[in-house]
Amino acid sequence: ECPQKTANRYKGTIIDEQGQPVAYANIALLSPGDSTLITGGVSNESGLFVIPCEQRPILARISFVGYKTIYKQCDKTELGTIKMQPETQTLKDVIVKGERPFVTMKNGALTANIANTELAHLGNARDVLRRLPLLNVDDESIEVFGKGSPLILIDNRKMRDASELQLLQSENIKSVQIITMPGAEYGSTVRSVIKIQTKQKFIKGLSGTLTGRIEAKRVWQELAQANLSYNWGDWQLFGNAYIYDGGVRNYRQNGSTFDWAGTQSNSIHHTATENQSFTTKSARGGFNYNKEGQSFGAYYHYVNSPLTFDSQGTEEDHVTGEEDLDIGDHIHDEMRTERHTVATYYDNQLNEESLIHFDGNYVHTWHHADNLTSNAYADHTVDVPSQTGMHSTLWAGKLYYQFPLLKGQMNIGTEDSYTFNHQQYLMLNNEIGTYIPSSMNESKQYAYAAFATFQKDFGKLTLNVGLRWEKIKFDYYQNDVKDQDVSRNQSALSPDISLSWQFNKETSMTLDYKQYIVRPAYQQLRSTILYVSPYEVEGGNPTLADCYNYAVSYMFGWKGLILDVEYIYKKDAYVYTKEHYSQDSPQLIFSTHNEDYSLLTAYLSYSRTIGIWKPTVIAGINKQWLTMYGDDYSRPIWEFAFKNMLIPNKDWLITCDVTGLTRGHEMANDFRGRWGIDLSVRRYFLNKRLQVSLSANDIFHTRNQEWSIRAKDVVAYKYSNQDSRKIMLGITYSFNPKKSKYKGATAGEAESKRL
């Protein structure tokens, strides 16, 4: 109500083209004769205006930014409802230039913002990871420089199959976080974590991505995959399918030299062509429900991976003075692996700072192989058939509660699991069975863990402390008899602490100490001995102890520069060697045993943008101090990577990467240096919904593998001319790209790795 109490008050209501009130529009009352201003006012939040004025008639002028100005001749004080129409005006071009940091660092974690950058159009999640600093990504593996294989989480859900990275399109990724100093909540075996956060899109109806790819190398390979989701209301149904058909052909040379019976001239040398064919089929389906801060979901995942391995070559033996040349060496294996996974989660966001989260996982794996090794001598052939089998079951659950405490953030939780693992080896050659008998071993483990982490900011200083308590009950059975020496019941505490200092938005550093335990893989604990050749076998070691690690890390970040340094002392680490199987025969065994050693890793990465060119340079060193049987294994390995991305315009993207490493020691292995160049070109169509890519990996075929192992008087070596050079053509089409809202995380991560 206008405070002036005059006889005449001009009233009206202003709305837009959709009938919504227009607040704060300007109303000027003008003289009809010469358009001079008499008085004026503005509309309120309801679009209503009341302007006192004694003059009649008047000319009302109604204006508002973005709308056409209205002139209205008024003889009455009631103007009624006035609808305004939008007005578009062409302005002169304004170009705003700026550079957002490619990667930011805070509290020891690197975060790369993917959305609204060129990385969002690379193709899939694996392509995105390939471009990030401190990551070494190829078709077979993903590694954090100096940290090994990371734990990968997609929306806090553990990635259990590599096909998930192929199925996740880059345009659906919001950010990627690389944690090189993971805390107690991630488990004792996790040395690094990659957290992929997808976009929060809520497109209703059907959406998905279809991809096809062919690869030309020594053996052709084809890939087809589909990722679909259907969304309505608060529910989402999702599913994906994946089939990868192909193979590998390698040319191998390997052998051993050793002392036996007082002679040093004993030798075994193999030359072979290896052919491997496979068809991997994967299918996954599930649902999510999300409403008002609460969500739950589940999925079932099935993987079927039949594989055929065939090696045809020759073997030359010179053992104990007897010489056998050009022995026919044939290995043929028929393998089949199936995995069933059921995962479920519940997530309750109580408020902005409090969260309750639960994850449950069931994983069942089955593996069977029919093996045949044949050695054809001049006058006879020795066939050694055998069978290997394995099946395992894992039940795991993880529950944690995040809440504010003492102006910081507290996280407490528990992670528990039950594991059953059965392995067997059936020797079908009676003569060989006298010294390599059939065997069977089983293990049952109950694992309980409780963890707590606390984070608090003190101005620019951030403190993170964590403590993890683990109790393990491990029972080991060999041929149905419990082995008391291998079975154990133990508990341990693993603390970690880190201090981070944030100088400014572009500069920070973190110092971290962590103590953790790595337990041997179940394959390493097997009691079975596998036949390889007349003078070679391969086996596990049930007596392996747990490996205790004590690590100090330092990370510094400034703009595009990142320095990551870590020193680790490993107590009872797992080292592979080839040694004498027994003193009664000239037989060698390839197996694992415990050794203590120290390891220093230091990596420097620098990224920046120079016009259309976005380079990243990475250089680092792996230096270990290992002494075994009086020999020194401390030659450092230098690694480097030069990653380049060119964006000529919005429809083209080109990448060219050069990676390599120098000769050096890793455990007891003396690796030869190798390097390679990868190139890719992408062309986008239909507003980037359709992508066509052409890639070439290892262009000069320089990534061949060569290494040797020396233990006491035994030297083993291998050279592999690998099937690593290839050309790939891929086509991807996306419609209504939609992220999966599954919020499950990881439960039983350590046990999953061991299996």
Side-chain angles (χ1 to χ4, degrees), residues 404 555 558:
M555 179 176 281
W558 173 70

Side-chain angles (χ1 to χ4, degrees), residues 326-342:
D326 299 329
I327 303 171
D329 185 2
H330 183 211
I331 301 174
H332 184 82
D333 298 332
E334 295 282 347
M335 292 171 276
R336 184 182 174 189
T337 302
E338 291 185 358
R339 185 173 72 248
H340 304 264
T341 302
V342 178

Side-chain angles (χ1 to χ4, degrees), residues 17 54 70 77 111 116 159 193 198 231 364 468 477 490 537 561 569 603 647 689 700:
E17 75 280 7
E54 294 288 354
I70 298 175
T77 57
T111 301
N116 302 318
M159 185 195 75
V193 178
T198 61
N231 305 270
H364 177 74
R468 186 180 183 92
Y477 299 85
Q490 60 188 27
V537 297
L561 184 70
Y569 173 70
Y603 287 87
I647 306 99
R689 286 182 297 162
F700 297 102

Side-chain angles (χ1 to χ4, degrees), residues 44-108:
N44 64 14
E45 293 182 355
S46 299
L48 177 67
F49 65 87
V50 181
I51 304 174
C53 182
E54 294 288 354
Q55 183 172 331
R56 187 188 298 181
I58 55 93
L59 179 64
R61 183 183 66 199
I62 301 98
S63 61
F64 191 73
V65 175
Y67 291 86
K68 295 180 180 178
T69 300
I70 298 175
Y71 289 90
K72 187 177 180 67
Q73 182 81 30
C74 303
D75 295 324
K76 298 180 180 179
T77 57
E78 295 292 339
L79 277 66
T81 300
I82 303 168
K83 179 182 288 188
M84 304 194 73
Q85 298 297 328
E87 181 180 39
T88 302
Q89 296 183 356
T90 302
L91 305 177
K92 293 182 179 180
D93 291 344
V94 176
I95 299 175
V96 179
K97 291 186 177 181
E99 182 176 341
R100 183 171 62 176
F102 180 54
V103 173
T104 58
M105 174 181 161
K106 185 176 182 180
N107 296 337

